[in-house]
Amino acid sequence: MDMETLLQYEWNSMWPEFTILLTAVALSLIDLFMNKRKDRSLLIWLALAGIAVAIVCLVLQFDDGVVSILNETYRLDSFAKAFKLLMLIGTGFVLLLGVPDESTSVRGEYIYLILTALLGGMMMASSADLITLFVGLELLSLSSYVLVGIRKTNPLANEAAFKYVVNGGIATAITLFGMSYLYGLTGETNIYEIQGLMGSDVVTDNRFLAVFAFIMIVIGLAFKITAAPFHMWAPDVYQGAETPVTAFLSVVSKIAGFAIMLRLLMVPFVFAPGTGEIITPDGISYETLLVSVRPYLVLLAVVTILVGNVIALRQLNAKRLFAYSSIAHAGYLLVPLAALSELVFEAVWFYLTAYLLMNIGAFAVIHVMSAEEEVTVASFAGLFKRAPYLTIAMSIYLLSLAGIPLTAGFIGKFEIFMSALGTEPKRYLLVTAMLVGTVLSYVYYFGLFVQMYFRPSKRQKPVTISNGVTAVLAITVAGTVLLGIFPSIALTFIHDHFQFLEIFNP
């Protein structure tokens, strides 16, 4: 590739990624030459400034058409813009959680590792090639492994990092195994080239291998989104990691996981032949691959919803409880995909927006309380008397997570519910699993209500909240309530700026 070709690329389409990359590099150099005893809180504000600039660059691209550069390996379309926006906002909240107060400090590497993980997620959202997609996935994963184990002297962090690396390595190997079959069947790594070749005689004659490749990729990515039964790493990792890192894994990493899952599963396989035969007047044809594998996707969604909610009932540690809650919400997000709904992109994006607000808010509350002790369910006892505003904020997040009306979580679940009922045939099993899972979640969510409002506290000392956490609480509470009362704000925003079906156009 010569210099003239490189200069012809529309590099402005990558300004958000360049901004995050330059910010991460600059912060690492500043941290390297800064006095070791000097406070690193300045680095957080510089990182937040970099994220703000990246968001501005991304917003300015909203009305641009589809752009593909680097031999069609990088693609900026509405799908990529929508998921990058969520990742940038989520990472901004996570960094605000890390703003230290008078009694705490922050490590420099924590800040730029968050940014490199974000960069990996953004590359995943824009990848149109198996190789660049894998590079983005590994950049996110490797940064996350280090972030989990950053407290080297903490036994829980060491255990969590070890389990995360082992499980992540296995998941990566399985994902690559599935990708290798795609390459073997088509001879291409570009997912749009693969899409065009899925109707070829070679793939038709070996369609069982295409189904096998699909299942292997689903299993590998199920680790990333914490879908059952590939979720076992999540509770230990969530408990062992620092709370802002846990919030990042719970929200930003999950958003990136669903971005890669939707693009990698929907685009190459949309025209692929499945294993089921259909007899027509013109002879025998084959149902599409997505129809053939739908029972497996339905099973994955149902098992994830039920496993997450049932095991959460027995949790005493707050982080482990929210880990299983996160697993259950991954199941809800799988419902539109399993139903093969036409609204899959809109439903998943809206729910991820609501999930970002309510889950980061909940972890912000846990982060405040973890300054005193390891946070258990009993730690919430009497919280209303010690910190009434914090308790009210937590109450709103719990109501939203439970799917109570007038919250963003209710609207998100309603969208997913209707996406399952809007398909033919209607997916009653998925709808039933959602209803059962939601009712089960009331037990552990409202158990926290009982602790906060009706149980005496063992501590009388008021809770101290840093400025960064205060900002996160204010924004997430406002967003959760506004999207619950006025969902048309987000729905109109989606329809005006994001044409999700662009994802299928080569």
Side-chain angles (χ1 to χ4, degrees):
M1 187 181 296
D2 56 26
M3 183 60 67
E4 184 178 350
T5 305
L6 284 172
L7 293 175
Q8 289 175 350
Y9 287 140
E10 297 182 54
W11 291 109
N12 58 319
S13 63
M14 292 188 72
W15 270 122
E17 283 86 350
F18 287 147
T19 302
I20 298 300
L21 175 62
L22 292 173
T23 304
V25 171
L27 293 182
S28 63
L29 292 174
I30 293 171
D31 181 50
L32 178 64
F33 293 106
M34 186 181 286
N35 190 308
K36 291 184 178 180
R37 293 178 180 153
K38 194 165 184 179
D39 182 30
R40 258 60 177 175
S41 58
L42 172 64
L43 300 184
I44 291 185
W45 296 110
L46 292 175
L48 286 167
I51 287 177
V53 172
I55 290 175
V56 171
C57 293
L58 184 65
V59 170
L60 293 175
Q61 296 172 339
F62 275 176
D63 296 326
D64 295 346
V66 178
V67 177
S68 294
I69 61 174
L70 299 174
N71 284 338
E72 313 296 323
T73 61
Y74 177 91
R75 177 184 174 94
L76 184 66
D77 52 18
S78 291
F79 177 86
K81 296 169 192 173
F83 280 83
K84 285 181 190 177
L85 180 63
L86 292 185
M87 284 186 262
L88 285 165
I89 293 172
T91 305
F93 286 146
V94 170
L95 287 172
L96 279 172
L97 291 183
V99 174
D101 54 25
E102 294 79 5
S103 60
T104 60
S105 60
V106 64
R107 299 179 60 160
E109 56 266 33
Y110 155 79
I111 302 165
Y112 43 83
L113 281 170
I114 287 278
L115 293 181
T116 55
L118 168 65
L119 180 61
M122 294 172 69
M123 289 301 299
M124 287 161 61
S126 277
S127 292
D129 191 275
L130 298 179
I131 296 173
T132 53
L133 190 149
F134 179 73
V135 170
L137 175 63
E138 284 304 284
L139 181 57
L140 170 62
S141 299
L142 292 173
S143 301
S144 300
Y145 300 155
V146 180
L147 283 168
V148 170
I150 201 166
R151 295 184 295 173
K152 293 183 288 186
T153 58
N154 187 296
L156 285 176
N158 293 337
E159 179 186 353
F162 176 75
K163 289 181 177 179
Y164 197 17
V165 169
V166 171
N167 282 277
I170 294 171
T172 298
I174 295 173
T175 305
L176 275 178
F177 188 50
M179 289 180 179
S180 69
Y181 273 87
L182 275 185
Y183 177 72
L185 284 169
T186 62
E188 295 287 346
T189 57
N190 184 282
I191 62 176
Y192 291 92
E193 295 291 338
I194 293 172
Q195 180 194 80
L197 292 168
M198 274 298 184
S200 66
D201 293 338
V202 173
V203 177
T204 303
D205 293 340
N206 298 279
R207 56 192 180 278
F208 65 94
L209 291 178
V211 172
F212 180 76
F214 182 94
I215 292 174
M216 287 296 101
I217 292 172
V218 168
I219 291 173
L221 296 181
F223 280 89
K224 181 56 65 179
I225 63 169
T226 62
F230 314 105
H231 65 283
M232 298 306 294
W233 60 271
D236 293 318
V237 171
Y238 280 34
Q239 182 181 8
E242 290 185 292
T243 307
V245 175
T246 303
F248 182 87
L249 296 176
S250 174
V251 175
V252 180
S253 184
K254 193 181 292 290
I255 292 170
F258 272 97
I260 187 177
M261 178 171 271
L262 289 173
R263 193 183 285 276
L264 189 52
L265 298 186
M266 298 294 284
V267 175
F269 295 102
V270 66
F271 300 123
T275 54
E277 294 183 350
I278 302 173
I279 299 177
T280 65
D282 299 325
I284 296 176
S285 62
Y286 302 101
E287 64 185 7
T288 63
L289 183 145
L290 290 175
V291 172
S292 295
V293 301
R294 180 156 52 185
Y296 303 108
L297 294 175
V298 170
L299 180 64
L300 183 68
V302 170
V303 170
T304 303
I305 291 171
L306 296 181
V307 166
N309 283 303
V310 170
I311 301 181
L313 297 172
R314 303 292 297 170
Q315 300 306 308
L316 299 178
N317 182 278
K319 281 189 181 180
R320 295 182 74 88
L321 186 150
F322 277 93
Y324 284 106
S325 166
S326 177
I327 291 163
H329 285 280
Y332 301 143
L333 286 160
L334 284 170
V335 167
L337 177 61
L340 299 183
S341 169
E342 295 178 358
L343 301 173
V344 57
F345 300 112
E346 290 84 354
V348 169
W349 191 85
F350 185 93
Y351 196 83
L352 283 171
T353 303
Y355 180 77
L356 182 155
L357 294 169
M358 57 196 181
N359 221 49
I360 283 189
F363 277 113
V365 175
I366 294 174
H367 180 54
V368 170
M369 299 176 65
S370 64
E372 299 177 342
E373 60 181 352
E374 179 75 12
V375 183
T376 64
V377 173
S379 301
F380 288 89
L383 185 62
F384 181 68
K385 293 183 178 179
R386 297 175 58 206
Y389 295 115
L390 189 68
T391 306
I392 292 170
M394 188 63 171
S395 301
I396 292 172
Y397 303 137
L398 292 174
L399 290 172
S400 186
L401 286 163
I404 301 301
L406 300 181
T407 62
F410 170 76
I411 302 298
K413 280 186 179 175
F414 181 78
E415 290 275 322
I416 290 176
F417 192 89
M418 295 309 297
S419 72
L421 286 181
T423 57
E424 291 294 339
K426 298 186 185 337
R427 299 295 149 193
Y428 293 115
L429 178 60
L430 289 170
V431 170
T432 302
M434 281 193 68
L435 290 174
V436 172
T438 300
V439 172
L440 286 172
S441 71
Y442 292 164
V443 178
Y444 56 87
Y445 288 140
F446 290 115
L448 292 174
F449 271 93
V450 172
Q451 294 289 335
M452 291 189 296
Y453 290 99
F454 305 112
R455 294 288 183 268
S457 174
K458 295 179 181 178
R459 295 174 177 269
Q460 302 301 322
K461 182 181 176 182
V463 177
T464 304
I465 306 176
S466 68
N467 293 332
V469 173
T470 301
V472 171
L473 293 173
I475 297 170
T476 52
V477 164
T480 301
V481 174
L482 281 174
L483 287 185
I485 299 175
F486 305 107
S488 58
I489 296 174
L491 297 176
T492 302
F493 179 75
I494 293 173
H495 295 146
D496 288 348
H497 297 290
F498 303 137
Q499 304 299 320
F500 282 113
L501 294 182
E502 286 178 354
I503 193 175
F504 294 111
N505 300 330

